Amino acid sequence: MSILVTGGAGFIGANFVLDWLAGHDEPVINLDKLTYAGNLENLASLQGNAKHIFVRGDIGDAVLVDKLLTEHCPRAIINFAAESHVDRSIHGPGEFIQTNIVGTFHLLESVRAYWGTLEGQAKQRFRFLHVSTDEVYGSLTNDAPAFSETNRYEPNSPYSASKAASDHLVRAYYHTYGLPVLTTNCSNNYGPFQFPEKLIPLCILNALAGKPLPIYGDGLQVRDWLYVNDHCRAIGLVLEGGLVGETYNIGGKSEKTNLDVVRTLCDSLDELAPLATCHLPLATYRSLITFVKDRPGHDRRYAINAAKLERELGWRPQETFETGLRKTVAWYLENQSWVANVTSGAYRHWIDKHYSS
């Protein structure tokens, strides 16, 4: 028995693979295209582990995917593979359409054909778990209830629109072909191995370098923050106990404004990396906070109602935002070589391009 994980060298996918192999004897076939955010260094601790089989490739490569399914006969597929950064989708939506929609379609076609060859218990037990985002639901007003699984889709960015389309494809393959699918929609993740284009790692790196901490608009946009290991644990529970065809929302019960996130991050850095040790002539890291022009179509608030997951599968987040953020800051401080390797010239070019104003 084995499972196939797509996008397993990225932020959430790599954390899932590491968590899974730490708690299971079941091998993982890890398929990742290794785009800019996919990084084999995330999986360095698995070097020499016979239960981790890494394959570089695209979920849209039907020949490769068919070969992997035939050779390894996985009992489940967890699809993390996606372009996921809203800002990048605004600058260049084409890659998001290609990976998140077309790629998911080709993957579903390969999986449908493979599932059709299974018999008996193997066919009944097989699952395809699709990992998605709360952004498909659009934006909430400050007094609106949190997103539940019954909220209608109202995506507002090329990224969220592409993920919404992939969700619809997964749903269609269940209702049309009977493919045993599960879908999860999560809130904002944070934690180790996150590529530093996202808010928290970007601000950690900028703060340590004495650079501005960019906050869009007034900084009062609200997100529900979910520590990545809590997310991985939830995915495992949904894979093993979720009802076929169902969607499960995963949230951290930690609604924070972007401004509060960065302020809390600065306070953690004041404790864990005092300014005196960083040779920065600042009173506090908070003095680096800088407000920049808001991005187009910026959703005001996301919040997740995870009651269904809690009720049916007994999941609860184990980390508060404060404990999870402190662990995250500590990880980046302790893994400066990883940071140096991922912040290449291409990364610096992107940051210069996006925040030049």
Side-chain angles (χ1 to χ4, degrees), residues 34-327:
L34 293 183
T35 57
Y36 74 94
N39 184 1
L40 283 179
E41 282 194 64
N42 299 349
L43 304 163
S45 64
L46 298 178
Q47 189 171 359
N49 187 332
K51 294 188 180 299
H52 179 239
I53 303 165
F54 181 80
V55 179
R56 183 172 185 174
D58 192 333
I59 59 171
D61 184 345
V63 174
L64 174 60
V65 173
D66 292 347
K67 180 174 180 289
L68 293 176
L69 294 173
T70 300
E71 284 186 3
H72 298 282
C73 300
R75 70 171 180 91
I77 294 164
I78 301 98
N79 181 34
F80 292 98
E83 294 285 346
S84 65
H85 189 37
V86 174
D87 293 339
R88 286 182 184 266
S89 80
I90 293 170
H91 285 282
E95 292 182 3
F96 289 73
I97 304 304
Q98 189 63 39
T99 297
N100 297 354
I101 303 177
V102 179
T104 299
F105 161 70
H106 287 301
L107 179 62
L108 284 166
E109 280 289 274
S110 293
V111 173
R112 179 167 70 96
Y114 164 71
W115 178 67
T117 68
L118 300 178
E119 297 179 350
Q121 286 293 317
K123 189 164 190 173
Q124 291 180 19
R125 292 183 58 191
F126 180 81
R127 298 290 184 269
F128 178 92
L129 195 157
H130 177 65
V131 180
S132 191
T133 172
D134 58 357
E135 297 193 36
V136 298
Y137 298 122
S139 183
L140 291 168
T141 59
N142 286 336
D143 58 350
F147 296 130
S148 72
E149 291 82 359
T150 59
N151 272 74
R152 69 180 183 180
Y153 276 28
E154 296 181 328
N156 292 321
S157 70
Y159 161 61
S160 57
S162 68
K163 287 299 290 183
S166 68
D167 291 6
H168 289 320
L169 281 172
V170 171
R171 174 186 169 88
Y173 271 63
Y174 168 66
H175 284 278
T176 302
Y177 304 112
L179 187 69
V181 306
L182 298 155
T183 298
T184 58
N185 294 87
C186 69
S187 58
N188 276 35
N189 277 225
Y190 66 101
F193 302 116
Q194 188 169 31
F195 191 77
E197 63 189 357
K198 301 294 179 75
L199 178 65
I200 288 176
L202 172 67
C203 286
I204 293 172
L205 270 59
N206 278 16
L208 294 174
K211 296 179 179 179
L213 309 182
I215 305 291
Y216 283 131
D218 60 9
L220 300 183
Q221 304 88 355
V222 175
R223 300 293 182 262
D224 179 9
W225 293 91
L226 174 65
Y227 190 63
V228 66
N229 295 108
D230 280 330
H231 183 195
C232 294
R233 189 166 47 83
I235 290 171
L237 289 172
V238 172
L239 178 65
E240 302 302 346
L243 296 177
V244 169
E246 291 293 308
T247 295
Y248 293 88
N249 282 354
I250 308 172
K253 292 188 175 181
S254 295
E255 286 190 58
K256 305 287 181 183
T257 68
N258 288 345
L259 184 56
D260 282 342
V261 167
V262 177
R263 285 172 172 166
T264 305
L265 184 154
C266 288
D267 295 344
S268 290
L269 283 170
D270 284 335
E271 176 191 353
L272 298 174
L275 288 161
T277 66
C278 296
H279 308 292
L280 296 175
L282 304 169
T284 172
Y285 285 105
R286 287 192 181 199
S287 63
L288 293 170
I289 293 174
T290 304
F291 294 92
V292 299
K293 182 181 178 180
D294 209 352
R295 74 182 179 205
H298 199 173
D299 291 334
R300 195 62 174 172
R301 174 177 169 244
Y302 306 142
I304 281 287
N305 179 348
K308 178 178 177 180
L309 180 61
E310 296 175 4
R311 181 177 65 252
E312 294 187 10
L313 299 177
W315 177 88
R316 300 284 191 286
Q318 293 180 347
E319 299 291 343
T320 65
F321 179 73
E322 289 71 24
T323 62
L325 185 64
R326 195 178 190 284
K327 288 182 177 181

Side-chain angles (χ1 to χ4, degrees), residues 326-338:
R326 195 178 190 284
K327 288 182 177 181
T328 301
V329 171
W331 186 89
Y332 280 91
L333 291 172
E334 294 164 5
N335 289 273
Q336 289 296 304
S337 61
W338 181 92

